[in-house]
Amino acid sequence: MILFNATNLSGISPPTPLDLDVNRDPLPNKDEVAMILLFFLLVPLIYVRGILGADYHERLVLRPLPPASLLASFNFRSNTSLRSFEQQNFRYFPRSLGQILQHAHTRELHIRFSLGRWDAESWGARPWGGAREGGTGVELWAWVDAENENQADKRWITLTNALSGLFCASLNFIDSTRTIRPVISFDPAGDHLNTTKADLHLLHGTLPGEVVCTENLTPFLKLLPCKGKAGISSLFDGHKLFDSAWQSMSIDVRPLCPTTQEDCILQIDQTIDMVLDIERSKRLRSDPIPRPVPQESLLCDPTKSYYSHEACFPLENQAEPAWSLVEIFGKAIRGQCPLTEETGPESETLCLDVPHEREVYTTAPFAERKDNGGFSRCWKLPANELFDLELPTQHMNVSAPLAQPPLYVDRSFTGYGQERGGVQALLTNPSPTNFVEFVYLESLPWFMKPYLHTLTAQLSSGPVDLQEQWTFEDLIRDMYYRPALDRHRGTQLEVLIRLPPDSTVTLSYAFEKAILRYTEYPPDANRGFDIAPAIIRLTSPIADPNSPVYLRTTSLLLPLPTPDFSMPYNVIILTSTVMALAFGSVFNIIVRRFVGADEVETWNIKRLKGKVAARLQLIMAKFIGERKKKE
C-alpha cells in the first residue's frame, strides 16, 4: 500500500497542459498515457489521505461508578483554520452552525442541554471539572462582537432565534428578562486578539424549565462528520440517553491561536456525558417493567435478629456487576470513524477506567494498551467490524479511585407564605488544609426581588475559633449586583467568597414575590416557576489554569400568588348572560309591532263555529269512506 504525505489538495499543482504541436503525432505515446493514468489514480488517493489526516478526534471514556452505575463520556473535536472559516470553506466544521455564528458575529459559543442531578457524594468530582456541564434545562453564553450594548443585544437575539431552529429548542424565549452580563464568573476559553477584546460582549441566558429530549439529540448528531453511522456516535440511542440518571450535552466553539493570527484555528468540541444505571439499562426494551428480585436470588444478612424465610435484610452486592456495550446501549460500535487518526494516542477511540485486574473481553483480539497508573486501558477500534466490550461478574479487592470534589453545594428555599421568602446556600470545603476561593453567581427573574441588605454569610461549621473570628468581610471578598427592572431584565448577583479549610458557609438572603398579570402566567401556573441554578466557578486552588472548575446547583421551584383562573370564566358567562338578556329585550321592543285594541277586528263566533264543524264533517266522511273500502 502506497501512502502519500499530503493533507489537502490545495498544494497540488495543476497538470501541465499537453503540447499541442500540429507536427507531432496526434496519438500520445505510451509514456504520456501512463502519466495521465497515474495522475487520475493518484488524485483520489491523495484526496482520501487528506481527509484521513485532518484534525478530527473522538473518544469514549467508560468509568464505573458506585454502587452500580456507569459514566459514559463521549467527546468529539474537530478543527478548521480561521481563514477557511471566514471564506465559508467548511469541511468538518458544520456549515449550519458556522453560518449562524458568522451572521450573528459570534466569536465564541457555549451551549448546554442538561437533565438530572450529579450525586457528588457518591460519584465524586464531575467529568471535565464541570466545565462542560450546564444547569438543568438549557444554558447558553457567548461572546458577541459589537460596537455597543444595543448592537450586542440585537445580535444576541439573532443568535438565540437561529439556534432555536437549529437545535429544536425554545432558545427564542431567552429574551432580555432571562439574559445577564456576567462580570467575574466567566472568562473566554479561546484566544482573542487584543484589538477585538474591547468589542467583545459576554451574554448569558438560561431556560431552567426546558425539557431536553430526542429532538435535541438529532441535530447534535447531524453536526458530527460521521453522523452516528460509524465510530462511537453509533452507540447513541435516545431511549438510553434520556433514561439515564444524569446527562449533559454540550457544544463549545472557540478560536485558538498558538503563535500568530495566521495560525489561528476554530475548534468545536461536542460532548455528551451520561450516568447509566447498569441494571436498569440491561432491561429488554420489549419488557421494560421492573420486576422484583426472585426470593432465591436475594442476598440476606443472617446476622439480623429478625432474619427468617419471610424477613430479609438485603446485603449490598460486593461483586462488580456484569455488563457489555450491547446490554447497556442496545448495540455495538459499528467500526471506527474513517476521519480519525490512524496512529498515535489520538487513534485510541475507546478507553475504560477499571483496574488492570478486571477481566475484560472483546469481540476479537484487538490491540489493547494499558497505562502505567494501573486503572485505565484503551483500544483502537477496527475499521469495518463491530466492536463490543464484555465484563463478567467479578469480586475485586481494589477499585479505580474517585476524585474528591473541591466543593459541595446545596441550595434551597426558606420561609413560607405568598408574599416573601428566602434563599439559603450551603457551601462546604472538604479539604482539611487548603482554602477555597470561588465566585457564586445567581441569575434571578424580575418577579423575584431580593433584598440586598439581608445578604448574610457566616460559618455554620468548622473550628470554633474560625467561626468566631471570620466575619462577613472575611468571607465576602468582592461583589457585583445589578438590580432587576420589572419586565425588562432580571437580577444579577456575583459574590467572590473565600472559604477556610474544613468548614461550611451559609449564604442567605430574603426576597419579595411580585404579582404578575394574569396573561403572564404559564398554563401550569399552580406548578410554580423554575429558577435557574446557581453557577460556581473556582478561582483557587486550580491545578490547570486552562481547565476551569465549575459547579452548578439544582434548579428551584418558586410558587407565586396564583389567581383563581375560574373567575374570568365566570365573569365571561355572567357578562354574556346579561348581554343576551339586554339585547333580547331591546330587539323585541324594536321589532315587535304594537296595535291598539280598537284596531283589532272583532271575531265572528258563529262563522268560526261553522268552519270548525265543516272541517270535522270532512274528516269524518273521509274516515268512513276508507273503512267501507276495507270491508
Side-chain angles (χ1 to χ4, degrees):
M1 178 178 179
I2 301 176
L3 298 180
F4 298 88
N5 188 12
T7 56
N8 51 48
L9 293 178
S10 59
I12 300 176
S13 58
T16 304
L18 298 176
D19 186 10
L20 301 180
D21 189 1
V22 296
N23 298 323
R24 59 171 295 173
D25 188 0
L27 296 177
N29 55 31
K30 295 182 180 180
D31 295 335
E32 292 176 345
V33 172
M35 291 180 61
I36 295 174
L37 293 177
L38 182 62
F39 172 78
F40 285 104
L41 288 175
L42 292 184
V43 166
L45 292 177
I46 296 175
Y47 180 74
V48 172
R49 180 60 184 170
I51 293 179
L52 295 178
D55 190 3
Y56 173 76
H57 170 66
E58 62 180 26
R59 173 165 291 184
L60 168 61
V61 179
L62 301 173
R63 184 197 309 167
L65 296 176
S69 300
L70 179 67
L71 171 63
S73 295
F74 297 80
N75 177 247
F76 309 89
R77 186 189 69 237
S78 60
N79 301 332
T80 183
S81 65
L82 200 59
R83 181 178 301 177
S84 299
F85 176 78
E86 293 174 352
Q87 296 175 355
Q88 294 193 3
N89 183 16
F90 301 101
R91 178 178 290 179
Y92 305 121
F93 196 95
R95 177 183 295 271
S96 57
L97 181 60
Q99 292 179 343
I100 291 176
L101 298 180
Q102 291 178 349
H103 182 67
H105 298 271
T106 304
R107 303 308 178 195
E108 186 172 327
L109 174 69
H110 305 273
I111 185 171
R112 306 286 186 267
F113 299 87
S114 302
L115 280 179
R117 172 182 174 270
W118 177 267
D119 188 0
E121 295 182 357
S122 301
W123 302 336
R126 290 166 165 80
W128 312 100
R132 300 181 184 180
E133 169 192 345
T136 305
V138 179
E139 184 178 347
L140 170 68
W141 70 96
W143 275 264
V144 179
D145 188 5
E147 297 179 357
N148 49 55
E149 292 189 356
N150 292 333
Q151 188 181 32
D153 292 337
K154 293 180 181 179
R155 291 177 176 178
W156 170 255
I157 296 299
T158 301
L159 176 65
T160 55
N161 290 337
L163 293 178
S164 176
L166 178 63
F167 292 103
C168 298
S170 303
L171 294 172
N172 56 312
F173 286 96
I174 300 181
D175 52 6
S176 60
T177 61
R178 301 176 184 267
T179 302
I180 61 174
R181 298 174 180 270
V183 178
I184 56 178
S185 298
F186 295 95
D187 287 333
D191 301 325
H192 301 277
L193 300 178
N194 296 328
T195 55
T196 61
K197 283 187 177 180
D199 296 332
L200 290 181
H201 297 262
L202 171 61
L203 296 101
H204 180 278
T206 57
L207 285 175
E210 180 74 7
V211 179
V212 185
C213 60
T214 54
E215 292 181 354
N216 311 121
L217 177 62
T218 302
F220 185 94
L221 290 177
K222 290 183 178 180
L223 299 180
L224 298 175
C226 289
K227 304 184 184 305
K229 305 300 182 181
I232 60 176
S233 61
S234 61
L235 291 178
F236 285 141
D237 186 349
H239 297 278
K240 297 291 184 178
L241 174 62
F242 298 103
D243 191 44
S244 57
W246 175 84
Q247 67 91 12
S248 176
M249 296 191 302
S250 66
I251 296 178
D252 300 279
V253 180
R254 58 175 182 169
L256 297 176
C257 300
T259 55
T260 61
Q261 183 180 1
E262 297 179 356
D263 300 331
C264 290
I265 61 174
L266 192 66
Q267 184 180 93
I268 176 173
D269 268 297
Q270 297 179 242
T271 307
I272 291 185
D273 299 315
M274 66 181 81
V275 176
L276 300 165
D277 184 88
I278 294 179
E279 296 300 328
R280 182 182 180 91
S281 300
K282 290 167 64 175
R283 297 174 189 163
L284 297 177
R285 185 177 297 181
S286 58
D287 188 19
I289 301 176
R291 308 290 181 183
V293 180
Q295 183 177 0
E296 59 274 8
S297 301
L298 287 174
L299 298 177
C300 304
D301 188 359
T303 61
K304 299 296 182 181
S305 57
Y306 51 81
Y307 171 73
S308 65
H309 293 287
E310 297 179 356
C312 174
F313 184 83
L315 285 175
E316 293 185 1
N317 190 4
Q318 302 297 330
E320 296 292 332
W323 57 273
S324 66
L325 292 180
V326 175
E327 292 176 335
I328 297 296
F329 297 98
K331 60 183 78 172
I333 300 179
R334 286 181 286 185
Q336 184 182 17
C337 180
L339 304 180
T340 56
E341 297 291 338
E342 296 182 355
T343 59
E346 298 291 333
S347 63
E348 298 173 350
T349 311
L350 177 62
C351 292
L352 179 63
D353 293 346
V354 294
H356 290 174
E357 294 81 5
R358 187 78 163 94
E359 296 180 1
V360 180
Y361 302 100
T362 58
T363 53
F366 300 112
E368 175 183 343
R369 183 186 64 84
K370 296 183 179 180
D371 69 338
N372 298 327
F375 296 100
S376 179
R377 62 187 77 182
C378 297
W379 291 269
K380 178 184 177 181
L381 297 181
N384 297 312
E385 299 181 34
L386 294 178
F387 182 87
D388 186 19
L389 284 179
E390 184 176 353
L391 287 79
T393 303
Q394 185 179 359
H395 290 271
M396 298 291 298
N397 297 325
V398 294
S399 59
L402 295 177
Q404 185 184 30
L407 192 70
Y408 292 98
V409 59
D410 185 19
R411 188 178 67 149
S412 60
F413 278 134
T414 60
Y416 58 90
Q418 298 292 332
E419 186 178 0
R420 294 181 178 86
V423 174
Q424 175 180 275
L426 300 178
L427 303 117
T428 303
N429 180 12
S431 175
T433 57
N434 297 329
F435 285 79
V436 174
E437 190 174 84
F438 57 90
V439 179
Y440 182 86
L441 170 63
E442 288 265 21
S443 176
L444 306 175
W446 66 267
F447 48 79
M448 184 177 170
K449 302 178 180 179
Y451 295 124
L452 191 60
H453 70 279
T454 62
L455 180 64
T456 60
Q458 58 181 0
L459 290 177
S460 56
S461 67
V464 179
D465 55 345
L466 287 179
Q467 297 185 31
E468 296 176 353
Q469 296 175 5
W470 282 62
T471 61
F472 180 85
E473 289 75 14
D474 296 327
L475 295 171
I476 305 298
R477 297 303 180 93
D478 196 3
M479 183 186 304
Y480 177 82
Y481 175 72
R482 191 185 188 192
L485 295 177
D486 287 355
R487 298 176 177 85
H488 288 284
R489 75 181 184 200
T491 301
Q492 177 181 342
L493 175 64
E494 293 181 87
V495 183
L496 180 62
I497 303 176
R498 180 176 172 85
L499 190 58
D502 194 18
S503 59
T504 300
V505 63
T506 301
L507 187 69
S508 61
Y509 59 87
F511 65 89
E512 181 182 7
K513 302 177 183 179
I515 298 178
L516 305 181
R517 300 166 182 164
Y518 81 95
T519 56
E520 296 174 338
Y521 285 90
D524 53 347
N526 291 288
R527 173 184 174 270
F529 291 79
D530 293 285
I531 305 302
I535 303 174
I536 300 168
R537 177 199 173 195
L538 266 69
T539 59
S540 175
I542 299 178
D544 185 5
N546 297 325
S547 301
V549 178
Y550 284 91
L551 293 89
R552 285 169 174 82
T553 65
T554 56
S555 58
L556 299 178
L557 199 60
L558 176 67
L560 287 182
T562 306
D564 184 5
F565 286 101
S566 65
M567 292 304 295
Y569 175 75
N570 297 337
V571 171
I572 293 174
I573 294 300
L574 179 60
T575 305
S576 301
T577 304
V578 173
M579 290 295 295
L581 293 175
F583 176 79
S585 302
V586 174
F587 183 79
N588 191 19
I589 293 174
I590 294 175
V591 175
R592 177 175 293 182
R593 179 183 178 185
F594 293 90
V595 181
D598 55 345
E599 299 179 4
V600 179
E601 297 181 359
T602 57
W603 287 3
N604 191 345
I605 302 299
K606 293 182 178 181
R607 185 177 179 182
L608 181 61
K609 289 182 178 180
K611 290 183 178 180
V612 173
R615 174 64 71 177
L616 290 175
Q617 290 179 0
L618 181 60
I619 294 174
M620 291 295 295
K622 186 177 180 181
F623 177 75
I624 294 172
E626 292 179 354
R627 187 175 180 181
K628 289 182 178 180
K629 289 181 180 181
K630 291 181 180 180
E631 292 178 353

